[in-house]
Amino acid sequence: MANPRLAAPAFGRAARRAGATVLENTEVLGIGKPGEDFVVETRGAGSFRAPLLQVSAGAWGGALAAALGEPVPIIARAPQMGVTEPAPYRIAPVLGVQSGVAQEVVYLRQVKRGNIVFGGGFRGTAGLVTQRATLDPMNTLRQLPMIARLLPAIARLAVIRSWSGVEGYMADDIPVMGPSRVLPGLFYAFGFCGHGFQLGPGVGATMAELLATGAPGVPIDAFHIARFAEAGAA
């Protein structure tokens, strides 16, 4: 539960220092492989050509995979998040409750300055075209009694901000990682069902090793996109 407003730019700066070119607000219009190389057409930044291509587009990864001939069962949803006013810092670990009842699912952590960041409950709707996520204030109100069962003191704190975003959830709740089953040189890493930000550094290292050496270093066969073709999704 790192703060994406701080961590994501830090990842970007580190990538640039390592020699990567980071392009923001650049929409991918199409991907093709007319020869040995992939060609990626974008809006505003021209086209790019490379022998290897990785699709890591989060909730938008499903549309790109489908356009490349490998549809997957992915749906966009909007997590519901909030943060309280500061309180004395006492909670070091991340706390959470998992349940088959969506309303009972909660998770939280306390940052060093004292604010408690929390999430869980029902997910809202998210639009891939509009690039917008809906926030349901009633979900936040329903969350608080559930969180109070885990942390009674939170009932005395005011919620100062709430927000959402666009996440991609796979039908089987595990991501897509690894090579394409139809196009040599094509790789995927998306659909992390709300856990991608946390897993991003490890996933990046694993995929970099796979693209560079042909082997990921750790077992990732369970995440292969071919599992959906075998189940009749493609």
Side-chain angles (χ1 to χ4, degrees), residues 63-74:
L64 292 176
L68 291 164
E70 299 182 275
V72 297
I74 185 172

Side-chain angles (χ1 to χ4, degrees), residues 78-82 124-125 133-140 143 161-165:
Q80 309 289 290
M81 304 293 299
T125 58
T134 59
L135 182 71
D136 180 6
M138 290 304 300
N139 185 78
T140 303
Q143 281 180 302
R161 187 170 67 255
S162 56
W163 67 94
S164 186

Side-chain angles (χ1 to χ4, degrees), residues 1 11 175 177 191-206 223:
M1 294 179 67
F11 289 157
M177 279 183 68
F192 286 86
C193 307
H195 304 290
F197 189 77
Q198 178 184 16
L199 299 174
V203 170
T206 298
F223 309 131

Side-chain angles (χ1 to χ4, degrees), residues 102-114:
Q103 186 174 336
E104 296 178 351
V105 176
V106 297
Y107 49 88
L108 63 91
R109 73 178 177 93
Q110 188 175 28
V111 300
K112 290 294 180 67
R113 64 175 173 268

Side-chain angles (χ1 to χ4, degrees), residues 15-124:
R16 285 192 173 103
R17 288 195 298 270
T21 299
V22 180
L23 300 176
E24 300 182 77
N25 302 313
T26 303
E27 180 184 0
V28 173
L29 300 177
I31 300 173
K33 193 177 185 184
E36 294 186 1
D37 289 347
F38 291 91
V39 177
V40 179
E41 301 290 345
T42 72
R43 188 190 306 278
S47 62
F48 299 86
R49 181 182 295 269
L52 302 178
L53 175 71
Q54 179 175 309
V55 173
S56 294
W60 290 265
L64 292 176
L68 291 164
E70 299 182 275
V72 297
I74 185 172
I75 189 169
R77 285 285 183 260
Q80 309 289 290
M81 304 293 299
V83 62
T84 73
E85 63 183 317
Y89 179 72
R90 291 192 175 92
I91 307 171
V94 175
L95 303 178
V97 173
Q98 184 63 37
S99 170
V101 180
Q103 186 174 336
E104 296 178 351
V105 176
V106 297
Y107 49 88
L108 63 91
R109 73 178 177 93
Q110 188 175 28
V111 300
K112 290 294 180 67
R113 64 175 173 268
N115 306 79
I116 296 175
V117 183
F118 62 89
F122 296 101
R123 301 185 184 105

